[in-house]
Amino acid sequence: MWFVLLRCTLFLALAGTGSFVHALTASCSEGNGGYYDNSRNCTFRNVIVDDVATTVTFSSGSGYRYNTPYHFRFVDSKLIEVPRKIFDSYSTVQLLGVAECSIESISRYTFEKASSLLLLNLSTNSLQEVKNYVFTGASSLNHLDLSNNNISVIEEKAFANLYELTSLFLAGNSLKALEEAVFAPLTKLRKISMARNQLQILSNELFLHNTALTMVFLQNNQLVMLEKDMFQNVEGLEYLWLKNNNLTSLEFNDLNVKIIGVTNNQLKKIKLNPSVQQLFASNNSISMIEADDFAKLKIKSLDLAWNNLTSLDSISQITAVELMDLSHNALGPLKLTSFSKLTNLIDLNLEDTKISNLQHGTFSQLSSLKRLDISYNKLNRIDVDIFTSSHHLEELYIDGNRLKEFSYQEIHKIFPQMNKISIADNYWNCTFLTKMIRSLNTQTIVVGGFKSESLIADKTNVKGIYCTDDTNPLNEWNTTLKHLDKYLNNSEPIVDTTEIKQIMQNAIDDIEKFNEQKMALANTSEKLEGEILDLTKKQLALENDLIQVKQTILDVKLSQLQNATTNDTFVSSDLKRMMTELNDLTVAKFNLTSQKLELKIYEQSFKIDKFMDKINENAEKLLILRKQLDQTANPAFASYNPATFQGLKSEPSTAGSSHTLTIVIMGTLIVLLVAALAVLYRKSRRVTLRGKSCYSTSNTLATMMDNDI
């Protein structure tokens, strides 16, 4: 009896201390149970291990009677650490997948019996560190994935004995620094990814022993610089990915790499060497491309979009290039020799490069060109004959310019392989656009570049491409205002600003277009008035010459009359005729003088009209200034009375009141100046008219005849 009581007491004591060893059996879900099942995969599902003391027994089931599984993975499971018992149960484990299993640590002796393990996937767990020698025993491992954990520390000997490792993934962790010799044992390493960490500086000897490297991924870190000798012993590097860092310079004189990605950094210059075949360097501040010898460069793909390039002098020497993206650089006008050496160019992107005009000969050497983008350059005219040499052209992008016309009729004859033209965001007339799209479609050319349906639906368009309707020029502006009003009256916060940005851009384009039309009409009107003025002057000059001729003839006749005989009849008739001619000449002189006076009055009024336009502009500015004064005026000054003013004079003025008083004085002076100019204008007008009246009354026909005779 006492023995039974002792056993019960011991049982309760063990239960109270939690010292029970829990046992758990996990079986594979793969295998159909047949004798000839060839499956080598074994999947354990819903394995939950909450305590390190839990003993897990692994069973492959009856489906693997003759075939031993090689590939093991855990699905929908929760493990505290990598189950080492699986290597006790199966000596042939080649692949072990324990991703997303909440593993927090790796014990040092976990893999001591994993000599056959080739691939280990530990991604997306809760690891925080990798200690020394934790992978001892996995001497055949060639693929290790530790990505998407929270690893911040990797000890120097963590990868010791992994001499066969070829791929190492450490992306998506919290690494800030690495030990200088941490990768030294990995002499066969070919691919390494450390993207999406917090790395700032890497040791110059980090990859000193990894001579077999072909791919290095370091994007999305905080790297400020890379030592130029970091890859000095790596001879076959193919990919070097450094996107989204803080690099300010990149100079690898001896770097033998084929593809470099440095997008979204702070590079100001970059130096190339003959080994580079593809360069992705958009979204930097690059203003200079350097090379020891541009003629020896073998680069075929060059992406330099969104940089600070202003010249193509160096780039135009890279004769091997086939794909070139120079978009969003302020290149300005192109030279005739800009692309003369780029005979292998297939794809050229010049979007938003501030090109002002296209010259014949600029693209004459681009016989291999298949895709050309010259969109958003504010070009007023594009002559298709400029691209005649590029008879293999397949795609042409001319969006976002100021085109009103385009020679589309012979496109397919000039470019027989053309299959797409993008023409949106221009100044097309709807009638012209309709004819162009119809013609291009009959030539089996797709017309692209459509705007979003929400922005173009209620605006004049042809198949989604915006155009202007001459019958209702204000319709587009009213539609833009209606779209904008929808957002202004919307109480909910705006999450996606893409559409409203496009609306604002449409408004700016409409305003710019109306201003251009107004300026064009004003210039035409002013030009016509100037031409009329010139013609009037010429007419008056001709009339003056005619009067001079008549005056000369009359003088000759008068001299003849003085030498004539004394025959009364002859003298009387000639004198009568001469008096008539003299009278006509006097009238013509009077008319000419009157016309000259009117011309001077017209010139003066023309100048006064221009002057009054400037006065009106100043008046509008003065009105704006007054509104600003009303908003910023000092309350004490606004509620002015003599007593308050005396008090203000006796006190030191502040900077704000002094500034306000200065503006008020300047405004008053402007008002007085405008009034004075108006008074002078009226006085000059009256004096001019009075002078004309006096002239017309004093210069009578008799007086002028007396003077002439």
Side-chain angles (χ1 to χ4, degrees), residues 49 221 390 392 412 483 607:
V49 179
N221 279 284
S390 305
H392 294 297
H412 215 276
H483 281 299
K607 293 178 181 179

Side-chain angles (χ1 to χ4, degrees), residues 590-630:
F590 173 76
N591 291 334
L592 182 62
T593 305
S594 177
Q595 289 176 358
K596 286 183 177 180
L597 183 60
E598 289 179 358
L599 180 61
K600 290 181 180 179
I601 294 172
Y602 177 76
E603 287 180 336
Q604 189 68 18
S605 63
F606 185 68
K607 293 178 181 179
I608 291 173
D609 288 340
K610 285 190 172 181
F611 183 70
M612 290 302 295
D613 290 339
K614 292 183 179 180
I615 290 176
N616 292 332
E617 291 179 3
N618 290 331
E620 292 177 359
K621 294 179 181 178
L622 184 61
L623 181 60
I624 296 172
L625 179 62
R626 181 179 177 182
K627 290 182 179 179
Q628 293 177 347
L629 287 174
D630 292 340

Side-chain angles (χ1 to χ4, degrees), residues 566-585:
T566 58
N567 189 326
D568 293 340
T569 304
F570 175 79
V571 173
S572 176
S573 60
D574 286 347
L575 182 61
K576 185 178 180 179
R577 188 178 68 255
M578 291 176 61
M579 290 297 292
T580 303
E581 291 178 356
L582 182 60
N583 184 44
D584 293 340
L585 181 61

Side-chain angles (χ1 to χ4, degrees), residues 184-225:
L186 311 180
T187 55
K188 294 185 178 181
L189 189 65
R190 295 177 57 82
K191 179 191 296 185
I192 183 169
S193 174
M194 293 184 286
R196 293 180 287 110
N197 278 280
Q198 302 171 28
L199 297 170
Q200 296 180 357
I201 298 177
L202 299 178
S203 171
N204 191 34
E205 298 182 358
L206 184 64
F207 302 112
L208 182 63
H209 303 281
N210 310 118
T211 57
L213 271 176
T214 59
M215 301 181 184
V216 178
F217 298 95
L218 290 167
Q219 67 267 28
N220 297 93
N221 279 284
Q222 301 173 16
L223 294 172
V224 177
M225 61 171 294

